[in-house]
Amino acid sequence: MRSEKEMFELLISTARNDERILAAYLEGSRTVPQVPRDIFQDYDLVYVVTETRPFIEEKEWINRFGQRLYMQYPDEGIWDNGNHENCYGWLMQFADGNRLDLHVCTLAFVKEQLKKGEPYRILLDKTGCLPQPGENLEKVYWVKKPSQEEFLAVCNEFWWCLNNVAKGLWREELPYVMEQLNFVIRPMLFKVLAWKAGKDHDFSASVGKGGKYLKNYLPEAVYESYMRTYPAGEKEAIQKSVFEMCSLFETMAREVAQALGFSYHEEEGRNSRAYLEHVCQLPKDAKEIY
């Protein structure tokens, strides 16, 4: 596996030797010092170019970066962003284990992107065209303190959508139940857990994409409870995980509300859970809910 030093030498020398490339900079986890380093970190690289078309049309030019196992063209086919003249990318998994997410972008496009304030690291700037990164740009990834309105909306979404889980469990429509749990209800639980982590660390913590760093910011018992909300694909396990989600959400929502001085609708959660428990106990030949 090529070392980080070897990879950077390749990426920088490619930019230096190609007059069409004005600058090169790095995005992603390698620009944030707090992110743990490991062998799976990819290289999120942007080449600032005079125009993108020559790179798109020259099909073989990416071969210089190494032998590929497989790759993706994220801006082609059904993924086409319709903006090839400003930005185009190649996602490459190499045979030596390294991965490169490479984009060529015009200077005007890049300057607009950098205004978003996300971290970046300049590797090469031939003409001084790129603004220097500011300090503490990783703040953009920190958990944001919610408003009272957002907090109540998240709580309402969590408790309301359990209605769908309840009927799905009774009907034994398990794929539907799992979809509701993972794509509707879990994101609400995740928000509350992230706010818990944020308020415990003065809202200067990043829980990472998909909550991959939650373990670093939550008490061990809370994190273990969260892990128990991921069930096996059978009815009893799913039902058990749903009640774990309810208990965890309720505890965390109350704690966040108290810490931030928010109101929390106790009756909403109490009634939602009671309905769920009632439906889960209904016989399969029930003719009425109540």
Side-chain angles (χ1 to χ4, degrees), residues 101 106 196 247 274-275:
D101 291 358
T106 61
K196 153 73 173 172
S247 297
Y275 178 85

Side-chain angles (χ1 to χ4, degrees), residues 170 278-287:
W170 185 81
H278 176 76
V279 172
C280 285
Q281 294 171 4
L282 281 177
K284 288 302 296 177
D285 59 352
K287 302 303 181 184

Side-chain angles (χ1 to χ4, degrees), residues 159 245-254 264 266 273:
W159 293 117
M245 293 177 89
C246 290
S247 297
L248 181 58
F249 186 91
E250 186 173 53
T251 300
M252 293 297 99
R254 284 172 174 165
Y264 172 64
E266 294 278 352
R273 179 160 184 164

Side-chain angles (χ1 to χ4, degrees), residues 52-276:
T52 61
R53 183 56 55 187
F55 294 92
I56 299 172
E57 293 176 347
E58 186 184 340
K59 299 297 183 182
E60 305 301 319
W61 89 277
I62 57 172
N63 292 343
R64 72 189 69 194
F65 298 110
Q67 180 185 354
R68 299 183 300 276
L69 289 178
Y70 50 92
M71 65 176 297
Q72 184 179 82
Y73 294 91
D75 304 310
E76 292 289 353
I78 64 172
W79 317 114
D80 191 341
N81 62 10
N83 197 27
H84 292 184
E85 70 275 12
N86 289 311
C87 187
Y88 188 86
W90 302 261
L91 311 183
M92 296 172 274
Q93 176 64 58
F94 298 115
D96 70 350
N98 280 299
R99 171 177 158 173
L100 173 62
D101 291 358
L102 171 66
H103 286 80
V104 292
C105 304
T106 61
L107 180 58
F109 180 86
V110 162
K111 286 185 174 181
E112 286 301 312
Q113 292 299 109
L114 295 182
K115 289 179 181 178
K116 295 179 180 179
E118 296 185 1
Y120 65 99
R121 172 184 163 194
I122 298 174
L123 301 182
L124 179 69
D125 189 348
K126 299 177 183 178
T127 63
C129 61
L130 295 178
Q132 289 298 313
E135 296 182 359
N136 300 321
L137 289 181
E138 67 273 13
K139 287 183 178 180
V140 72
Y141 300 131
W142 289 355
V143 176
K144 305 297 189 300
K145 181 179 178 181
S147 64
Q148 169 75 87
E149 180 182 23
E150 181 183 7
F151 174 76
L152 289 178
V154 165
C155 292
N156 177 258
E157 181 76 355
F158 180 90
W159 293 117
W160 169 254
C161 290
L162 283 174
N163 185 296
N164 295 326
V165 170
K167 68 183 180 185
L169 284 170
W170 185 81
R171 293 169 175 168
E172 297 188 2
E173 298 170 340
L174 301 189
Y176 170 77
V177 172
M178 293 293 281
E179 180 188 53
Q180 290 294 308
L181 287 179
N182 290 325
F183 296 103
V184 181
I185 294 174
R186 186 174 301 283
M188 302 303 106
L189 175 60
F190 171 72
K191 280 183 177 291
V192 170
L193 289 173
W195 291 335
K196 153 73 173 172
K199 67 96 176 171
D200 285 352
H201 296 84
D202 299 319
F203 287 97
S204 59
S206 170
V207 297
K209 185 177 182 180
K212 59 185 177 181
Y213 303 137
L214 269 175
K215 186 177 182 179
N216 300 332
Y217 295 104
L218 293 177
E220 183 177 357
V222 173
Y223 185 75
E224 289 177 351
S225 176
Y226 184 51
M227 291 297 98
R228 290 194 294 272
T229 68
Y230 289 90
E234 53 92 21
K235 183 178 178 180
E236 288 70 25
I238 295 172
Q239 187 168 299
K240 184 178 180 180
S241 74
V242 172
F243 287 116
E244 184 84 33
M245 293 177 89
C246 290
S247 297
L248 181 58
F249 186 91
E250 186 173 53
T251 300
M252 293 297 99
R254 284 172 174 165
E255 181 179 327
V256 169
Q258 182 176 15
L260 301 183
F262 291 166
S263 61
Y264 172 64
H265 295 168
E266 294 278 352
E267 185 177 6
E268 178 179 66
R270 184 167 55 250
N271 290 346
S272 174
R273 179 160 184 164
Y275 178 85
L276 172 68

